[in-house]
């Protein structure tokens, strides 16, 4: 399971965060949004893209990566995940239901031969 949320730090600042949970309900991976838009400047910028091994139950194990919302627009985000072995890119997002969004995701999937 993946969850999009805000991670709050001790200094009361925060990051736009995606968490991936394993089948036991434990956090298996964390990602902070790296491509901040003007409305995102209240967040700390993430500084890395990682891939995580997860158990998909009867489907077996897979290596997955995560991006958040606008991160999908830039080819380098998903390309980095693919180079780190991700076969699937999970993407919590808000809004952007227009046709361009559909094409960005299809293009990133095709470019990297991975599921988005």
């Amino acid at each position: 399971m993946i969850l999009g949320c805000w991670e709050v730090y001790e200094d009361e600042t925060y990051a736009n965060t995606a968490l991936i949970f394993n089948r036991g309900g434990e956090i298996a991976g964390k990602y902070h949004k790296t491509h901040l838009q003007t409305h995102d400047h209240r967040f700390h910028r993430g500084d890395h893209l990682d891939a995580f091994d997860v158990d998909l139950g009867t489907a077996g194990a897979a290596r997955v990566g995560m991006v958040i919302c606008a991160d999908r627009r830039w080819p380098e985000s998903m390309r980095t995940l693919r180079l780190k072995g991700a076969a699937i890119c999970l993407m919590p997002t808000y809004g952007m239901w227009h046709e361009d969004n559909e094409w960005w995701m299809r293009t990133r999937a095709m470019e990297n031969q991975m599921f988005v």
Side-chain angles (χ1 to χ4, degrees):
M1 178 173 83
I2 188 168
L3 171 70
C5 60
W6 289 9
E7 184 174 6
V8 181
Y9 300 114
E10 287 183 20
D11 66 356
E12 297 184 17
T13 60
Y14 37 91
N16 191 346
T17 304
L19 302 172
I20 189 165
F21 294 87
N22 64 23
R23 291 180 60 181
E26 299 154 338
I27 295 174
K30 181 191 301 189
Y31 168 70
H32 296 125
K33 186 175 182 182
T34 56
H35 293 86
L36 301 182
Q37 306 298 293
T38 17
H39 61 274
D40 291 321
H41 287 192
R42 63 187 176 268
F43 298 113
H44 283 286
R45 179 183 308 275
D47 60 3
H48 63 279
L49 292 141
D50 289 324
F52 308 95
D53 294 312
V54 296
D55 179 3
L56 300 175
T58 57
R63 192 148 175 86
V64 302
M66 297 181 282
V67 297
I68 297 174
C69 204
D71 290 331
R72 67 180 167 253
R73 294 183 186 185
W74 292 272
E76 295 81 7
S77 299
M78 287 188 211
R79 185 66 180 151
T80 298
L81 295 175
R82 187 65 172 135
L83 290 171
K84 291 184 175 187
I88 301 169
C89 179
L90 303 172
M91 184 185 318
T93 187
Y94 172 77
M96 300 284 294
W97 299 107
H98 53 72
E99 189 175 1
D100 288 350
N101 177 60
E102 184 75 22
W103 284 111
W104 287 326
M105 291 188 291
R106 287 181 183 186
T107 301
R108 299 291 91 82
M110 189 272 314
E111 288 169 341
N112 295 294
Q113 297 298 290
M114 67 190 300
F115 293 99
V116 175

